[in-house]
Amino acid sequence: MTAAFTRVPHPSLVTAADRAVLMEDPGFGRVFTDHMVTIRYTAGQGWHSHKVEPRGPIPLDPAASVLHYAQEIFEGMKAYKTDDGRVALFRPEQNARRFAASAERLAMPVLPEELFLEAVAELVKTDADWIPEGEGSLYLRPFMIATEAFLGVRAANEYLFVVLASPVGGYFKGGKNSVTIRVSEHYTRAARGGTGAAKCGGNYAASLIAQAEAVANGCDQVVFLDAAEGKWIEELGGMNVFFVFKDGSLQTPPLGGTILPGVTRASIIQLARDTGVTVREAPYAFEQWRADVASGEVVEAFACGTAAVLTAISKVVSPGGDFTIGDGKPGPVTTDMLGKLVGIQRGRVADPHNWVQTIIEA
């Protein structure tokens, strides 16, 4: 599929000088590029009105379904400058497939994988000047909302797909290389049969109060336990989690409908297994984690996701007492996995699985 994107002229592009100032310290998700991509869907007509247009407000009827029944999904991905001067994406087809799976779960139309990839590439090519040098990247936010104006409880017949772009630095303030997390006592992220495996805004909205409690208690992130027993570790507020054992093996909670199937998570599993490291996708109880850290069985832990990439977990705060993992700094396995992942993304090391997709040649 090759879509014809209409290009709407921008009335006032940000100047190179102003862009440079904005990109000196962009933070995360605070600065946006000049353009966005939009595609509309109408039942009976399908996908239409493909545009690359100036980024701006979206006209939306107050009765739009997304405002009342939360039919909304999104993705998070990045465009990088490789060391040899190319602009590339990392495993974008995985984002396209997860986006399709999220759409199916929320009774939304499935955007074809090829069209998703074309839309993302169009925006990257159009706003390539916004990609930071060095270790920064261009964060891409494809999302889809239900726009049909009605108040009946059913799936909408009209949708808007949008891709935004934002130059970013580190996800955590101050460029932290390790984080402190707090176990949520009263809240869970997802339950079996729910939307835990879909990347929809409702999952994140429900996590915000727990995240706020974590921050209020001096932590960077919250970690959720399962909804059924309140015993098994699931994931952080916006990241998957891995545990490193003293024998060098890794363990991560299994997918099963309550955990988001992260692209970074899947990549770490593959990279570890490529080198003969044992990786278990198995349930892990929070109290077992505490005991394993105390005995020295677990020597490292890290969180991972597109935004934060891979970040060591240094300390865990909980009602039963706090504990520190290792010396509170990123351990050798965490550091090695981060180096391998970023190395592939930046073209510094071999890409055995052809995960990097070049969008603009050097």
Side-chain angles (χ1 to χ4, degrees), residues 85-156:
R86 292 173 294 129
V87 172
L89 301 175
F90 182 72
R91 308 190 74 179
E93 73 287 346
Q94 296 299 315
N95 296 96
R97 292 167 192 168
R98 188 171 64 183
F99 195 75
S102 296
E104 288 182 343
R105 178 61 186 86
L106 272 76
M108 303 172 79
V110 172
L111 184 74
E113 179 179 330
E114 298 86 351
L115 186 52
F116 178 99
L117 296 175
E118 283 183 46
V120 169
E122 284 288 335
L123 186 58
V124 172
K125 292 174 183 176
T126 301
D127 282 345
D129 288 342
W130 287 87
I131 303 175
E133 300 290 342
E135 297 304 307
S137 57
L138 188 66
Y139 184 78
L140 302 164
R141 173 51 60 87
F143 69 94
M144 179 163 58
I145 60 174
T147 55
E148 183 184 2
F150 77 103
L151 298 180
V153 183
R154 60 165 172 79

Side-chain angles (χ1 to χ4, degrees), residues 178-181 233 241-245 284 286 289-290 292-294 296-303 311-317 322-331 334:
S178 66
V179 293
T180 299
I181 64 175
I233 299 166
V241 60
F242 280 81
F243 311 96
V244 182
F245 289 75
Y284 193 47
F286 178 74
W289 185 18
R290 183 199 303 278
D292 286 345
V293 169
E297 186 67 22
V298 165
V299 294
E300 299 176 45
F302 58 83
T311 305
I313 297 171
S314 57
K315 182 178 179 182
V316 181
V317 174
D322 307 345
F323 58 93
T324 299
I325 302 165
D327 60 3
K329 299 177 182 179
T334 302

Side-chain angles (χ1 to χ4, degrees), residues 56 86 100 110 120 130 157 163-164 172 197 199 216 236 268 290 301 343 350:
R86 292 173 294 129
V110 172
V120 169
W130 287 87
N157 289 316
V163 187
L164 300 176
F172 293 106
K199 198 165 178 67
L236 274 62
I268 289 169
R290 183 199 303 278

Side-chain angles (χ1 to χ4, degrees), residues 6-29:
T6 299
R7 293 187 171 273
V8 180
H10 198 297
S12 181
L13 291 168
V14 174
T15 66
D18 287 343
R19 184 172 61 241
V21 172
L22 289 170
M23 291 173 63
E24 284 180 1
D25 182 22
F28 196 94

Side-chain angles (χ1 to χ4, degrees), residues 202-226:
N203 291 344
Y204 294 81
S207 74
L208 294 180
I209 187 170
Q211 175 65 23
E213 286 185 352
V215 172
N217 282 272
C219 297
D220 302 293
Q221 271 280 323
V222 61
V223 60
F224 290 103
L225 306 182
D226 72 292

